[in-house]
Amino acid sequence: MGVGEVRLRNYISVVKNVAVLALTLIALGSLPGQDMPRSSEPDPFEIEPPILPGNLVPEQSAKSQPPTDLGQLERKLVRAKENAAGAERLFKIGVLAKLEAENRAMRVVRLEAEIAQARVAAAQLDLDHKQQQFGAREIARTELDVAQTQLTEAKQAAEMAAANQKKAELDAAAINLARQQKLLALGSGGKSAVRRAEEKLAALKGASQ
């Protein structure tokens, strides 16, 4: 048998194998049940899960860096105060959960602390600029003194806002612990939720000391 005949037979064998494979895939694709209509029932992940008592925890502080835009922070604070203003009334008439009302109030406290820190940063930048101007004899000493006073006042306000935030978070953690203990006593909570609440309160107390 010549070399040409061997190559021809090998080519024919490869073509047959490819054809058999293609027919097999087509047959498998046409099997019943492959194009079954989708169920009309909603996807279980599209259904909002119920609120569980064990998940009733205070809003956590955001770990991401706060915006450096002071104006943006101040606009957020205005909206937060508006949301918190009627929260207690909505809770009393049964429209809003107590936890949500507490979280709205906490957001106001945290934003006030963020704004105070942003004002310290802005005052520091202004003082640095004024020092350069004073060194170049572009401004009088009185302007530099004003910038220094503004920075001192901003730092004092930031310290007060931070203290208010720590106290608010401690109070919220204590309220949450009492809530989780009550739910456990009623049979609606879990020991793990109580333990987490205890750990959170202890951590906050340790950080404030």
Side-chain angles (χ1 to χ4, degrees), residues 17-127:
N17 291 336
V18 172
V20 170
L21 178 60
L23 291 173
T24 301
L25 292 175
I26 292 172
L28 291 174
S30 62
L31 287 176
Q34 296 299 316
D35 296 324
M36 294 177 63
R38 295 184 63 183
S39 171
S40 60
E41 296 182 0
D43 190 333
F45 291 102
E46 295 176 356
I47 301 176
E48 185 176 356
I51 298 177
L52 301 177
N55 293 331
L56 295 178
V57 295
E59 184 182 68
Q60 300 298 318
S61 300
K63 294 183 179 180
S64 59
Q65 292 295 327
T68 55
D69 185 352
L70 184 56
Q72 180 182 357
L73 282 172
E74 289 174 341
R75 289 190 294 272
K76 283 186 176 183
L77 178 60
V78 171
R79 291 194 297 270
K81 286 183 175 180
E82 291 174 351
N83 290 334
E88 189 66 24
R89 182 183 64 83
L90 292 174
F91 160 69
K92 289 180 179 179
I93 64 176
V95 176
L96 200 66
K98 181 62 175 176
L99 179 64
E100 176 60 23
E102 294 169 0
N103 283 340
R104 290 188 184 189
M106 179 63 69
R107 179 163 176 77
V108 171
V109 173
R110 286 172 176 158
L111 280 171
E112 287 175 341
E114 288 184 26
I115 288 174
Q117 288 296 333
R119 286 174 177 165
V120 169
Q124 183 65 63
L125 288 175
D126 183 61
L127 177 61

Side-chain angles (χ1 to χ4, degrees), residues 94-169:
V95 176
L96 200 66
K98 181 62 175 176
L99 179 64
E100 176 60 23
E102 294 169 0
N103 283 340
R104 290 188 184 189
M106 179 63 69
R107 179 163 176 77
V108 171
V109 173
R110 286 172 176 158
L111 280 171
E112 287 175 341
E114 288 184 26
I115 288 174
Q117 288 296 333
R119 286 174 177 165
V120 169
Q124 183 65 63
L125 288 175
D126 183 61
L127 177 61
D128 293 342
H129 181 60
K130 289 291 195 301
Q131 286 175 335
Q132 292 177 356
Q133 289 180 315
F134 180 73
R137 297 184 178 180
E138 295 175 357
I139 62 173
R141 177 74 190 186
T142 53
E143 292 188 47
L144 181 62
D145 293 340
V146 169
Q148 180 63 61
T149 300
Q150 290 175 341
L151 176 60
T152 301
E153 292 175 349
K155 287 181 177 180
Q156 292 173 348
E159 290 175 358
M160 184 178 298
N164 290 338
Q165 180 180 352
K166 287 182 179 180
K167 182 180 182 304
E169 289 179 344

